[in-house]
Amino acid sequence: MPDSATVSLKDIERARRAIAGRVRLTPVDVSATLSALIGAPVLLKLEHQQITGSFKLRGATNAVLNLSEAQRTRGVVGVSTGNHGRGLAYAARETGVRCVICMSALVPKNKVDGIKAQGAEVRIVGRSQDDAQAEVDRLVADEGMTMLPPFEHPDIIAGQGTIGLEILEQVPAVETVIVPVSGGGLISGVAAVLKARKPAVRIIGVSMERGAAMHQCQKAGKPVFVEELTTLADSLGGGIRLDNRYTFGMVRNLVDDLVLVSESKIAGAIRHTYRVERQIVEGAGAVGIAALQARRIADPGVTVVVLSGGNIDMDLHYRIICGEDVDVTKE
Ligand SMILES: *Cc1c(COP(=O)(O)O)cnc(C)c1O
């Protein structure tokens, strides 16, 4: 396995100073219903209200601000068509850096438009994610652009970790923090803060049952290939990279437990979040509430649940809140 590396509390404090004023300090809101359910205060960290609709803006902004002058001149490039792409495009525009997002011709128009709306150049190449990645590699090699990945990068992890600093200030009595997990950048940063400042806090990661890469890799004891499957929590899809150096080890060392939730529990949590909490979240943003509702976390005490994103197709959201148990695995 390649050497592992970590991100420290100091890195995250530095990130917070760097991105201050460029990202929102998102509010926390108590959930009366979920507090009654578990018998202890439950507070929702409303990170889906972040600019660009997810926390990915924090890491992207920190990473762009840390570029050298030469790197800034040549620009940044990425492949994500989802929340990382949006965050990166926005962060680059705000700091006056060129940004190219490469994607295949199969990416749906609404996603392409979402990225364009944030001011990125979109380059459509080939018919697969691999074709898009090949174009990124070419831009890095031929034009000296900098590739910024969604989680495997110290500046990205440090940026996401700034949520942990806010949680400690907003909820000093916190005992358990529940965090959605895909590649593990968010939970690694949040856990690095809490385990340094308040080691007794429990950090629980939540993923969907379908294609939970970090969960399967931790069980295997090393990064392994995990097949990506369709899921309502689409922002949690994808692998953790076989050459993972940061998040696999940080999750192993800092996270207390990883739990999984079913598709129907995710749909139920999106519905609850809308009807009761009056918030619009995407599937990935709802998995923490789904885990609490499914009673997957024993005696959590004072709990903060990170609602990580809100970028959901509104027609899909409408069907879910109308009570349909949408099964994207059959569509
Ligand atoms: C990317 C993302 C996650 C997972 O973040 P990782 O750092 O990859 O674990 C969770 N929720 C939303 C909304 C996301 O966009």
Side-chain angles (χ1 to χ4, degrees):
M1 212 189 300
D3 287 347
S4 65
T6 192
V7 171
S8 71
L9 176 61
K10 278 223 151 28
D11 299 324
I12 298 165
E13 288 170 337
R14 196 178 313 121
R16 191 187 196 183
R17 289 192 293 276
I19 70 177
R22 296 183 178 272
V23 306
R24 277 186 197 137
L25 197 170
T26 52
V28 295
D29 204 359
V30 65
S31 165
T33 316
L34 294 172
S35 302
L37 177 73
I38 70 155
V42 174
L43 298 111
L44 308 176
K45 174 71 169 158
L46 305 180
E47 188 63 19
H48 63 297
Q49 295 182 5
Q50 186 54 262
I51 310 167
T52 74
S54 86
F55 70 90
K56 294 281 198 322
L57 181 66
R58 295 174 185 258
T61 301
N62 189 46
V64 171
L65 290 172
N66 274 328
L67 296 174
S68 69
E69 210 33 59
Q71 289 172 318
R72 288 176 55 89
T73 313
R74 298 195 203 103
V76 294
V77 59
V79 278
S80 164
T81 59
N83 288 330
H84 174 61
R86 284 182 194 228
L88 185 57
Y90 183 94
R93 182 175 59 185
E94 287 297 301
T95 51
V97 172
R98 178 182 175 212
C99 175
V100 177
I101 304 287
C102 302
M103 55 186 81
S104 89
L106 301 181
V107 172
K109 187 177 178 309
N110 63 330
K111 289 208 164 183
V112 181
D113 291 346
I115 301 282
K116 280 188 181 159
Q118 308 293 350
E121 277 173 54
V122 169
R123 192 159 302 182
I124 295 178
V125 266
R127 301 192 63 77
S128 73
Q129 180 83 354
D130 286 349
D131 292 336
Q133 184 61 50
E135 177 66 5
V136 168
D137 296 344
R138 196 194 65 72
L139 287 168
V140 170
D142 295 356
E143 300 187 23
M145 297 185 81
T146 300
M147 207 280 283
L148 287 175
F151 57 89
E152 262 292 288
H153 191 294
D155 297 338
I156 299 281
I157 296 168
Q160 324 302 33
T162 60
I163 291 180
L165 295 171
E166 292 175 17
I167 288 173
L168 266 180
E169 288 166 12
Q170 293 171 311
V171 190
V174 62
E175 295 178 286
T176 298
V177 182
I178 303 178
V179 185
V181 175
S182 174
L186 173 61
I187 199 168
S188 293
V190 168
V193 169
L194 287 149
K195 294 290 174 174
R197 286 270 189 85
K198 196 175 178 190
V201 170
R202 273 202 292 164
I203 309 288
I204 311 289
V206 188
S207 304
M208 63 294 172
E209 285 170 358
R210 294 174 52 78
M214 182 60 84
H215 185 265
Q216 291 189 36
C217 294
Q218 294 293 339
K219 274 210 330 214
K222 61 171 196 265
V224 291
F225 172 77
V226 177
E227 192 190 351
E228 185 167 352
L229 302 169
T230 52
T231 167
L232 268 180
D234 55 324
S235 293
L236 302 184
I240 73 162
R241 300 186 58 108
L242 295 178
D243 59 354
N244 188 299
R245 290 184 60 217
Y246 289 91
T247 61
F248 177 80
M250 290 183 77
V251 168
R252 186 184 49 203
N253 295 335
L254 302 172
V255 171
D256 295 278
D257 201 7
L258 293 176
V259 305
L260 302 181
V261 290
S262 68
E263 294 296 305
S264 76
K265 289 283 190 258
I266 297 170
I270 291 173
R271 196 176 300 131
H272 167 91
T273 309
Y274 181 76
R275 299 183 69 105
V276 180
E277 315 297 345
R278 300 179 173 246
Q279 303 289 340
I280 295 173
V281 290
E282 58 177 285
V287 296
I289 286 180
L292 275 185
Q293 291 184 314
R295 313 307 297 262
R296 302 302 310 277
I297 299 154
D299 298 325
V302 178
T303 300
V304 174
V305 186
V306 179
L307 308 190
S308 53
N311 290 322
I312 184 169
D313 178 277
M314 287 311 286
D315 294 327
L316 175 63
H317 190 267
Y318 179 76
R319 288 166 54 204
I320 293 170
I321 60 162
C322 287
E324 212 182 304
D325 243 345
V326 176
D327 185 353
V328 289
T329 69
K330 300 214 178 75
E331 290 183 5

